[in-house]
Amino acid sequence: MKDLIICFKLIKYGTQFKLMCILGAAFFGLGLLFEIQGMGSTNLGGLYLSLSGLYIFQLAFTPSIAKLVQTSPYKKKIQTAGTTVLSVFCCLVSFTVLVIIRVLKAGAPDFADNGIDIITHYSALIQAAIFVTVLLIYIAFSFKMYLTSLIICITLVMTFMFLSFNETKSPFVKITEFLMNGNDSPLNTIIVSYVIIIAGGIICYFVSCLLYKHELSGLAVKNTMRQSLK
């Protein structure tokens, strides 16, 4: 716990602290807006909320690039457990907001009158959870294998978005349908969604540990430093 507190305190020294905070808040705000004003037939709000929790990663990781931290025993803790736990925590918080909104909207008296399918409505949770997991795994690679991880991430996200367009063939809808098993209770879907995110966090941690001794990507460091000078 003490090490995590230190990692949290170092966030204010992260690259582009103000910008990352603004972007995180902006995506969170947009996610809320889409979720509250939307009719539940779109999952865009869930994706924005999911993204908002991941901006903490750069703020948690970049202080470890400094020479002083590079020679510190806290370097490994920052680049592995620290970044992972903080990222997963923020993602779980934003995801919980999504869960609360979806449950409240499904319980509204006029929900059925809007013609929204309950399975499609809750499939946003599975979709957001898998989206978060993909990005958690990506960030574990991002500062070590920047270009490769970026290409793979873009490919996965594009595939992810393509699968989301067709509700009848969407794997997220099919998974939700299986979990709900013909009833209106979202409990299984909610539990599985949290498990997926936590599993993504565990994978993120182990990948970070495996790549810890791998040199930082020169391209990633240059890109980060260039952004910090803007």
Side-chain angles (χ1 to χ4, degrees):
M1 181 60 71
K2 181 181 177 181
D3 294 334
L4 286 175
I5 292 173
I6 292 174
C7 291
F8 182 77
K9 289 181 177 179
L10 286 173
I11 286 175
K12 63 183 178 181
Y13 300 109
T15 303
Q16 294 184 301
F17 175 76
K18 291 182 179 179
L19 178 60
M20 292 298 106
C21 289
I22 291 171
L23 288 174
F27 273 90
F28 187 82
L30 285 171
L32 279 178
L33 185 65
F34 280 117
E35 279 298 305
I36 293 173
Q37 293 191 346
M39 298 301 293
S41 58
T42 175
N43 297 341
L44 192 59
L47 299 183
Y48 275 116
L49 285 172
S50 302
L51 279 170
S52 68
L54 289 168
Y55 281 96
I56 192 73
F57 177 83
Q58 179 169 317
L59 295 178
F61 189 94
T62 49
S64 69
I65 298 176
K67 290 184 179 180
L68 182 62
V69 181
Q70 284 284 312
T71 58
S72 166
Y74 286 106
K75 175 188 172 184
K76 183 175 182 180
K77 294 174 181 177
I78 292 172
Q79 292 190 3
T80 55
T83 52
T84 300
V85 172
L86 290 174
S87 297
V88 172
F89 174 76
C90 290
C91 287
L92 288 175
V93 170
S94 58
F95 183 77
T96 299
V97 173
L98 173 64
V99 171
I100 292 171
I101 294 174
R102 289 277 163 164
V103 170
L104 290 176
K105 293 184 78 170
D110 61 341
F111 179 79
D113 297 334
N114 291 324
I116 302 170
D117 180 64
I118 191 70
I119 293 173
T120 302
H121 178 74
Y122 282 120
S123 69
L125 303 183
I126 295 294
Q127 183 178 359
I130 295 175
F131 187 62
V132 168
T133 297
V134 169
L135 293 180
L136 281 171
I137 296 172
Y138 158 71
I139 62 177
F141 286 94
S142 60
F143 274 88
K144 302 289 183 173
M145 303 169 66
Y146 179 75
L147 192 57
T148 302
S149 62
L150 184 61
I151 293 171
I152 293 174
C153 182
I154 292 173
T155 303
L156 288 174
V157 169
M158 293 298 291
T159 303
F160 183 90
M161 298 302 293
F162 175 77
L163 292 173
S164 305
F165 289 138
N166 193 335
E167 290 183 5
T168 59
K169 296 182 179 181
S170 170
F172 315 115
V173 173
K174 292 184 181 299
I175 292 170
T176 307
E177 185 177 16
F178 171 77
L179 292 171
M180 294 185 70
N181 193 27
N183 59 66
D184 292 341
S185 173
L187 182 61
N188 290 340
T189 303
I190 293 171
I191 292 173
V192 170
S193 297
Y194 277 108
V195 170
I196 290 172
I197 294 174
I198 293 171
I202 293 171
I203 296 172
C204 177
Y205 171 71
F206 280 111
V207 170
S208 298
C209 290
L210 288 172
L211 294 177
Y212 168 67
K213 292 185 178 180
H214 196 286
E215 289 186 10
L216 290 170
S217 167
L219 188 59
V221 174
K222 288 179 182 179
N223 184 52
T224 301
M225 294 299 102
R226 184 172 61 251
Q227 290 177 353
S228 66
L229 294 174
K230 289 181 179 180

